[in-house]
């Protein structure tokens, strides 16, 4: 009887007390972390790709971190990121070793650092010792990974931590990257798929990783894996900033990626090419509406300083950007609020490069501005503006992107159609009448997708008069330019064999878009014959692969524009009236009061960046 009464009393107490007596955890599930809070301003750091490709070593990473801690940390630079294939012991520069890679992988199908390159990782320590090194200096540590599950894990049927499944249960060959074959797609919804990504980010969290760049994720856009990665990071227990790569991320997915990543690529790999830099004006204008705290369109790395020590493109060099072009790059990235990831070898910096990275007036635009947008574009004279929300000041960036333009395709002696992967044979034959010509110009242009590094080949190019024939690749050219590499006779622009649509060619000229090769023609030849083709190195990429080939027999260049041009801005366009003071942010100088309009001269390929403040009434 007593027990029955006690039971009724307990039941009544529960009914009366209800939710008020329940533990807080039972009343409400813990709030999902808002990862946007982890990077309220665009991330700034160093990435190993532009100078070391897939071969960077621990000593080189530490040397760059030491420089950052000493010279850049006080200006907001904090991330040190180890880029691609840190898990391969024997990778190679100027490409990837896919013939006999020596993998380093754990029992659960997760790549781990190669101990010959990262000695502190030996004994199962992973990247934790290197991350600890960064954290002790007040820096943050990041890594690059490829989307998916390792092919080697699938082949070995390695188990997935936290699941009864193996790697062989969660993969698909569909969607595998064409340019690197380390990984297979993880199929969302399969038992073990989410657990695999969970196990990855639990491992990275245990190492102390603060930043992960996930490659082969944005273009094409792998939405299911984006969502699995987001969930895995949120479950990892560590604030890991997520960067997706490469671009262009589909603009139709802007809202989705904004809700899942801290930064996402807007372009393919960006190198020290003016043509690529110029394309960013259109790209940044397209993406500026999607800038928000904690979620930033990423215009890609800064190929500045010393590049190409062991890189994919080009040899050991200081950036090919002129000083004017470097001001353009830093001004556009700052007023667009792109993440800033420096690609050069920091210890090799000269004084000018360091000055670009530590200008506090310019970095204030990058850190704090709002309402960032293109103000106008008049041909290739461009203005961007943004607001200082604390003071009401306006930031103004002016650019002169004028170039010596090329004659239209209609004036060429021959022009191909746009050649793509879908073109039969990925090539087009040409036979051009050059009777009486003294010059020959071979021009390759981007086919319209704003990818200006596609590999292109002029195959079996010959000069003939019916009875006599000479291989053009045996003749010296007068001049030859390519976007980032060097035009090469009888090799592709990367130094590999000439290969188009699976067929190898012994004779030809390797170049890419955009490029121009000029010849002084020997007398007596009446025809130029060749095949214009998309090289295999361009065809296997996930992006690009569009080219147009043109042949001119007369100078294809239009007149050179002036060295400088006046860029006029009315203050009413900025929402200002009355007298204003103008400060030149790169020069660090006050230019005095201006009323009505402002019209400085800007050098060709150069930029100006200003702070404009209303004069306060006394």
């Amino acid at each position: 009887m007593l027990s029955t009464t006690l039971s009724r009393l307990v039941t009544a107490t529960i009914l009366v007390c209800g939710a008020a007596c329940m533990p807080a955890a039972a009343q409400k599930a813990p709030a999902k972390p808002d990862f946007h809070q982890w990077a309220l301003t665009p991330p700034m750091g160093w990435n190993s790709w532009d100078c070391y490709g897939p071969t960077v070593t621990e000593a080189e990473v530490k040397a760059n971190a030491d420089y950052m801690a000493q010279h850049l940390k006080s200006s907001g630079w904090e991330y040190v990121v180890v880029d691609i294939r840190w898990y391969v012991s024997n990778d190679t520069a100027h490409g990837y070793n896919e013939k006999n890679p020596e993998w380093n992988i754990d029992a659960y199908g997760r790549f781990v650092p190669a101990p010959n390159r990262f000695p502190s990782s030996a004994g199962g320590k992973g990247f934790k010792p290197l991350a600890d090194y960064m954290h002790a200096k007040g820096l943050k540590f990041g890594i690059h990974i490829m989307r998916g599950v390792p092919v080697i894990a699938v082949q070995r049927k390695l188990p997935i931590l936290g699941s009864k499944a193996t790697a062989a249960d969660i993969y698909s060959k569909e969607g595998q990257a064409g340019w690197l074959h380390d990984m297979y797609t993880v199929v969302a919804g399969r038992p073990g798929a989410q657990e695999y990504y969970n196990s990855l980010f639990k491992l990275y969290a245990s190492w102390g990783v603060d930043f992960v760049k996930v490659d082969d994720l944005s273009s094409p856009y792998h939405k299911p894996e984006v969502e699995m990665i987001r969930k895995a990071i949120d479950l990892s227990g560590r604030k890991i900033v997520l960067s997706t790569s490469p671009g262009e991320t589909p603009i139709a997915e802007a809202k989705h990626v904004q809700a899942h990543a801290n930064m996402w690529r807007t372009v393919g790999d960006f190198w020290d090419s003016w043509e690529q830099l110029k394309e960013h004006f259109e790209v940044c204008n397209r993406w500026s509406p999607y800038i928000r705290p904690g979620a930033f369109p990423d215009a890609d790395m800064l190929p500045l300083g010393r590049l190409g020590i062991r890189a994919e493109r080009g040899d050991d060099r200081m950036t090919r950007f002129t000083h004017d072009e470097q001001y353009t790059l830093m001004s556009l990235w700052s007023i667009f609020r792109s993440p800033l990831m420096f690609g050069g070898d920091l210890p090799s910096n000269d004084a000018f490069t360091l000055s670009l990275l530590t200008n506090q007036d310019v970095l204030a635009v990058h850190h704090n501005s709002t309402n960032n947008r293109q103000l106008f574009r008049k041909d290739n004279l461009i203005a961007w503006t943004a607001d200082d929300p604390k003071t009401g000041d306006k930031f103004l960036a002016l650019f002169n992107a004028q170039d010596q333009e090329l004659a239209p395709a209609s004036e060429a002696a021959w022009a191909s159609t746009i050649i793509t992967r879908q073109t039969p044979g990925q090539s087009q034959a040409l036979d051009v009448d050059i009777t009486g010509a003294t010059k020959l110009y071979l021009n390759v242009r981007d086919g319209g997708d704003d990818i200006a590094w596609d590999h292109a080949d002029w195959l079996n190019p010959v000069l003939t008069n019916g009875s006599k024939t000479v291989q053009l690749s045996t003749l010296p050219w007068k001049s030859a330019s390519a976007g980032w590499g060097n035009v090469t006779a009888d090799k592709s622009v990367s130094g590999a064999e000439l290969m188009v649509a699976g067929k190898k060619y012994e004779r030809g000229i390797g170049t890419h878009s955009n490029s121009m090769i000029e010849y002084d023609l020997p007398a007596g030849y009446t025809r130029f014959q060749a095949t214009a083709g998309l090289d295999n190195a361009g065809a296997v990429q996930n992006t690009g692969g569009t080219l147009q080939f043109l042949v001119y027999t007369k100078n294809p260049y239009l007149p050179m524009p002036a060295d400088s041009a006046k860029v006029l801005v009315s203050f009413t366009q900025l929402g200002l009236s009355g007298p204003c003071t103008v400060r030149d942010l790169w020069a660090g100088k006050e230019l005095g009061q201006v009323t009505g309009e402002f019209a400085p001269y800007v050098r060709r390929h150069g930029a100006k960046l200003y702070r404009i403040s209303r004069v306060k009434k006394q």
Side-chain angles (χ1 to χ4, degrees):
M1 186 70 177
L2 179 61
S3 61
T4 302
T5 304
L6 181 60
S7 176
R8 289 173 178 169
L9 179 60
V10 170
T11 301
T13 302
I14 292 173
L15 290 172
V16 171
C17 186
C21 296
M22 292 184 183
Q27 295 178 45
K28 187 177 181 180
K32 183 180 178 181
D34 180 8
F35 69 88
H36 297 102
Q37 300 296 315
W38 307 344
L40 289 175
T41 59
M44 298 167 59
W46 173 83
N47 179 295
S48 61
W49 171 249
D50 283 358
C51 46
Y52 297 108
T55 68
V56 71
T57 66
E58 182 169 350
E60 290 162 338
V61 174
K62 286 183 173 180
N64 279 272
D66 293 346
Y67 181 98
M68 182 182 291
Q70 181 178 356
H71 299 285
L72 298 176
K73 180 173 173 285
S74 60
S75 297
W77 299 82
E78 58 180 348
Y79 291 95
V80 177
V81 182
V82 176
D83 210 271
I84 198 165
R85 280 193 135 199
W86 38 264
Y87 45 82
V88 176
S89 298
N90 61 340
D91 220 330
T92 54
H94 299 289
Y96 306 101
N97 177 11
E98 295 199 75
K99 293 181 180 179
N100 61 339
E102 296 175 5
W103 309 110
N104 292 271
I105 195 165
D106 74 4
Y108 295 105
R110 302 172 299 186
F111 283 131
V112 295
N116 64 319
R117 292 169 52 199
F118 300 93
S120 69
S121 71
K125 297 186 183 70
F127 271 132
K128 189 175 190 310
L130 189 54
D132 289 345
Y133 184 88
M134 303 302 163
H135 296 154
K137 291 180 173 290
L139 302 176
K140 295 181 179 180
F141 179 65
I143 59 174
H144 168 292
I145 66 171
M146 291 289 291
R147 169 190 65 86
V149 60
V151 171
I152 191 69
V154 171
Q155 292 171 343
R156 296 177 182 176
K157 298 184 178 180
L158 295 178
I160 294 169
L161 187 64
S163 170
K164 295 180 180 179
T166 73
D169 299 317
I170 66 171
Y171 86 101
S172 170
K173 293 183 179 180
E174 186 176 347
Q176 185 184 39
W179 50 274
L180 184 62
H181 303 90
D182 293 356
M183 317 296 279
Y184 287 139
T185 296
V186 173
V187 182
R190 288 190 183 174
Q194 184 63 56
E195 288 81 1
Y196 178 74
Y197 273 120
N198 292 351
S199 74
L200 272 189
F201 284 91
K202 281 287 188 182
L203 179 65
Y204 303 155
S206 74
W207 289 346
V209 170
D210 305 292
F211 180 103
V212 174
K213 171 184 173 182
V214 185
D215 210 333
D216 191 40
L217 192 63
S218 289
S219 180
Y221 191 65
H222 293 272
K223 183 181 288 188
E225 286 186 88
V226 169
E227 293 174 356
M228 285 190 285
I229 290 166
R230 174 75 269 144
K231 184 175 181 180
I233 294 174
D234 291 344
L235 292 172
S236 73
R238 187 169 182 83
K239 297 176 180 179
I240 300 175
V241 169
L242 174 60
S243 165
T244 77
S245 178
E248 183 177 352
T249 305
I251 197 107
E253 299 291 356
K255 292 292 186 181
H256 185 268
V257 74
Q258 192 183 59
H260 288 82
N262 296 103
M263 48 191 275
W264 59 91
R265 284 272 289 278
T266 60
V267 293
D269 284 0
F270 173 57
W271 289 91
D272 47 336
S273 157
W274 166 251
E275 290 83 2
Q276 286 187 288
L277 176 52
K278 187 174 181 178
E279 290 162 1
H280 274 79
F281 289 108
E282 183 177 342
V283 173
C284 293
N285 184 41
R286 185 160 61 242
W287 280 100
S288 61
Y290 300 98
I291 303 166
R292 60 161 290 186
F296 301 98
D298 175 16
D300 200 18
M301 290 165 52
L302 305 173
L304 302 176
R306 183 184 177 192
L307 308 171
I309 296 172
R310 296 190 304 276
E312 181 194 32
R313 292 188 192 158
D315 297 316
D316 193 345
R317 65 194 185 278
M318 291 301 286
T319 183
R320 296 184 311 164
F321 284 133
T322 66
H323 282 195
D324 282 322
E325 290 165 352
Q326 292 180 64
Y327 281 127
T328 291
L329 171 57
M330 289 299 297
S331 298
L332 181 58
W333 265 238
S334 295
I335 203 160
F336 176 62
R337 302 196 76 201
S338 172
L340 301 179
M341 289 291 168
F342 188 83
D345 181 60
L346 287 173
S348 303
N349 275 355
D350 57 15
F352 176 76
T353 305
L354 181 59
S355 74
L356 290 174
L357 307 182
T358 55
N359 184 307
Q360 297 305 309
D361 285 343
V362 173
L363 291 175
V365 181
H366 179 260
H367 296 345
N368 305 318
S369 60
T370 59
N371 198 22
N372 310 73
R373 65 199 186 280
Q374 180 177 290
L375 185 64
F376 63 76
R377 180 168 189 167
K378 299 175 181 176
D379 294 324
N380 285 312
L381 301 180
I382 304 161
W384 273 68
T385 187
D387 301 335
D388 183 337
K390 292 183 179 179
T391 65
D393 290 353
K394 301 290 183 178
F395 297 113
L396 177 65
L398 302 179
F399 304 95
N400 179 352
Q402 294 183 117
D403 280 306
Q404 185 177 24
E405 300 292 341
L406 288 170
S410 60
E411 295 184 16
W414 176 86
S416 75
T417 59
I418 302 299
I419 295 176
T420 72
R421 298 177 185 85
Q422 287 71 45
T423 302
Q426 297 176 352
S427 62
Q428 191 171 339
L430 61 118
D431 185 347
V432 182
D433 185 352
I434 56 171
T435 304
T438 60
K439 287 283 193 178
L440 185 69
Y441 299 86
L442 307 183
N443 178 217
V444 186
R445 303 182 187 182
D446 163 50
D449 59 5
D450 292 335
I451 302 295
W453 40 259
D454 288 319
H455 291 54
D457 299 328
W458 298 91
L459 303 165
N460 292 330
V462 297
L463 304 176
T464 183
N465 61 9
S467 59
K468 183 180 178 184
T469 298
V470 62
Q471 286 280 347
L472 190 64
S473 63
T474 65
L475 302 179
W477 48 68
K478 183 176 181 181
S479 64
S481 65
W484 56 266
N486 295 315
V487 176
T488 308
D490 299 328
K491 294 285 187 181
S492 75
V493 73
S494 62
E497 293 177 302
L498 296 164
M499 182 176 289
V500 172
K503 182 180 178 181
K504 294 180 182 179
Y505 293 81
E506 296 297 323
R507 292 289 187 180
I509 302 166
T511 182
H512 69 81
S513 64
N514 295 306
S515 61
M516 182 71 74
I517 311 170
E518 177 186 353
Y519 288 92
D520 287 327
L521 283 175
Y525 293 95
T526 58
R527 306 207 74 79
F528 169 55
Q529 299 168 339
T531 298
L534 171 63
D535 190 88
N536 185 65
V540 299
Q541 299 295 323
N542 285 352
T543 58
T546 64
L547 302 168
Q548 185 179 27
F549 294 78
L550 304 101
V551 177
Y552 291 87
T553 54
K554 296 180 180 179
N555 185 357
Y557 290 100
L558 300 179
M560 180 74 77
D563 182 67
S564 297
K566 184 183 290 187
V567 185
L568 187 150
V569 179
S570 168
F571 282 176
T572 58
Q573 294 175 280
L574 299 172
L576 298 173
S577 60
C580 297
T581 59
V582 178
R583 178 175 176 81
D584 184 326
L585 300 187
W586 282 117
K589 294 180 179 179
E590 300 292 342
L591 303 185
Q593 286 193 18
V594 179
T595 302
E597 62 184 30
F598 184 52
Y601 280 91
V602 182
R603 287 173 55 87
R604 183 159 41 85
H605 289 200
K608 296 286 188 178
L609 187 57
Y610 303 100
R611 176 187 283 270
I612 302 177
S613 311
R614 292 183 179 88
V615 175
K616 295 180 180 178
K617 296 180 180 180
Q618 299 296 326

